[in-house]
Amino acid sequence: MTTTTGAPRPAPLPLLVLGQGRDLASERGVECPGDLPAPSDPGLVERARAAKAALGERVFVLGHHYQRDEVIEFADVTGDSFKLAKEAAARPDAEYVVFCGVHFMAESADILTAEEQTVVLPDLAAGCSMADMAAIDQVQECWEQLAEAGVAERTVPVTYMNSSAAIKAFTGRHGGTICTSSNARTALTWALDRAGDGGKVLFLPDQHLGRNTYARDLGRPLEDCVVWDPHRPMGGLTPEQLRDATMILWRGHCSVHGRFSVEAVEAARRDIPGVKVIVHPECRHEVVALADEVGSTERIIRTIAAAPAGTAWAVGTELNLVRRLAAQFPEQRIAFLEKNVCYCSTMNRIDLPHLVWALESLVEGRVVNAIRVDDETSRYARAALDQMLALPGETGKD
Ligand code: 13P
Ligand code: SF4
């Protein structure tokens, strides 16, 4: 491990070109083994139906809200990452949990399900660029440097669900909690309380969710936040900055939500009469500050569903979900907030051919793309996930 004076750790590789390379230890893209059905096969829907019917109660299919329509159609339950984590934990009878989402979600499902259950991710290239922005050796090095600066013992880690199992285990080892966009406010309140007077929170890996929750939801000063850059010695911070900060935000972001802009909010207000802007808390703080409503994907859906007919919305979250909302609520006027943002490319790796391949393989008695977290990592990650599920007043409905 390097110390305060050591050279900064080299940047980890960005997402491997999807479908190439192999790095099972990270969220990066990996090769998909086996023969996939052709996307042009007109029988894919029927094949998925038949495979699912053949598996019956043995399989449970979870679908994150950002999945494609063709995949969502086969989900037994849809939800945000909080809801899906709870759903996975509540299905002890399903032999197989097929997770249509991304790698960190499938890892969490494996941690929360029983030993004899198997979690399958239909395409191993469905990673998350945000989760990749915090590697375990970088986080451990950060912690050592916080210790050298004399602040680690007063710091409680709060880790967003969008992180590898290794980072979740780090959080469990250091008495912290996991959070999702549904419960970040409750989790942060708990952690600040636990850290006590003069204590700190290390929030990782999404700086925007951390900043937005602290400043917008809790109404606390932005000046209390500093950003830890894992590519710079001592995170790019002075010992004084560290000592004065309450929120140490990891320098990570979502490559989809980070692109919604202030200009897009202004354009929506200019072009759509009476529009309400609703965005996900992974968006940048200046965008969130201008929005009318901010919330997790579940909250965005609930808010739009409950609005009177004729309400106009500009929605800042992943495009698959926004398109589905527009189709589901034709009595509302629903626009995508930003013309320069597109689908989450890794979420979109899960398509019908991959789902058919995963399900048909299970029917043939072959488990493909099983996601297994080792026992040691799983034990500590589970402690941090259990802490999240036990948060005071936890509703998951923020
Ligand atoms: P939620 O599902 O918690 O709203 O998170 C959004 C997201 O980016 C998932 O990858
Ligand atoms: Fe990761 Fe953002 Fe895609 Fe979610 S939407 S999986 S945070 S890159």
Side-chain angles (χ1 to χ4, degrees), residues 64-66 79-84 102 104-105 128 130 160-162 179-182 254 256-257 280-282 295-300 317-318 344 347:
H64 188 270
H65 288 310
Y66 296 165
D80 64 2
S81 49
F82 181 77
K83 183 174 166 194
L84 295 181
V102 288
F104 69 78
M105 296 178 183
C128 167
M130 179 203 285
Y160 192 23
M161 185 69 110
N162 302 21
C179 75
T180 71
S181 54
S182 286
C254 166
V256 178
H257 291 96
H280 194 279
E282 288 174 14
S296 70
T297 47
E298 281 289 322
R299 178 166 175 176
I300 291 173
T317 191
E318 211 269 349
C344 170
M347 280 273 182

Side-chain angles (χ1 to χ4, degrees), residues 304-318:
I304 291 179
T311 313
W313 295 100
V315 187
T317 191
E318 211 269 349

Side-chain angles (χ1 to χ4, degrees), residues 104-343:
F104 69 78
M105 296 178 183
E107 277 189 333
S108 299
D110 181 54
I111 292 163
L112 291 168
T113 49
E115 181 62 33
E116 60 278 11
Q117 292 178 283
T118 303
V119 177
V120 168
L121 182 65
D123 187 346
L124 291 177
C128 167
S129 53
M130 179 203 285
D132 268 352
M133 288 175 197
I136 185 60
D137 52 354
Q138 292 176 324
V139 174
Q140 266 157 0
E141 188 174 317
C142 164
W143 195 255
E144 283 174 18
Q145 295 184 347
L146 293 185
E148 278 179 36
V151 298
E153 68 274 16
R154 287 177 292 138
T155 301
V156 176
V158 177
T159 295
Y160 192 23
M161 185 69 110
N162 302 21
S163 57
S164 69
I167 308 283
K168 290 187 177 77
F170 162 88
T171 307
R173 276 195 185 93
H174 294 285
T177 186
I178 306 303
C179 75
T180 71
S181 54
S182 286
N183 61 18
R185 180 192 176 125
T186 318
L188 188 54
T189 304
W190 172 87
L192 287 167
D193 204 40
R194 186 177 169 94
D197 269 355
K200 301 167 197 311
V201 164
L202 171 64
F203 193 99
L204 63 166
D206 185 11
Q207 60 168 301
H208 301 305
L209 180 66
R211 188 180 290 110
N212 289 329
T213 308
Y214 187 78
R216 184 183 184 276
D217 296 356
L218 300 185
R220 308 222 357 201
L222 269 179
E223 302 73 57
D224 292 353
C225 302
V226 291
V227 176
W228 180 278
D229 181 346
H231 306 304
R232 297 178 64 192
M234 199 67 186
L237 299 168
T238 64
E240 294 69 36
Q241 282 175 310
L242 267 181
R243 274 196 292 271
D244 292 346
T246 305
M247 284 292 279
I248 305 167
L249 305 169
W250 191 264
R251 189 159 185 240
H253 67 273
C254 166
S255 47
V256 178
H257 291 96
R259 291 177 67 186
F260 291 103
S261 65
V262 166
E263 293 72 37
V265 177
E266 289 167 350
R269 296 212 189 281
R270 193 178 57 236
D271 299 341
I272 311 175
V275 74
K276 281 176 175 282
V277 175
I278 185 163
V279 300
H280 194 279
E282 288 174 14
C283 293
R284 284 179 285 137
H285 184 66
E286 53 273 31
V287 173
V288 160
L290 285 179
D292 299 293
E293 302 272 354
V294 181
S296 70
T297 47
E298 281 289 322
R299 178 166 175 176
I300 291 173
I301 295 167
R302 267 202 322 273
T303 306
I304 291 179
T311 313
W313 295 100
V315 187
T317 191
E318 211 269 349
L319 187 49
N320 274 314
L321 173 59
V322 181
R323 288 184 53 203
R324 215 156 26 241
L325 283 171
Q328 252 174 329
F329 300 103
E331 70 285 4
Q332 314 260 7
R333 186 170 168 201
I334 295 175
F336 190 51
L337 177 60
E338 166 88 56
K339 63 178 184 307
N340 293 321
V341 178
C342 56
Y343 302 101

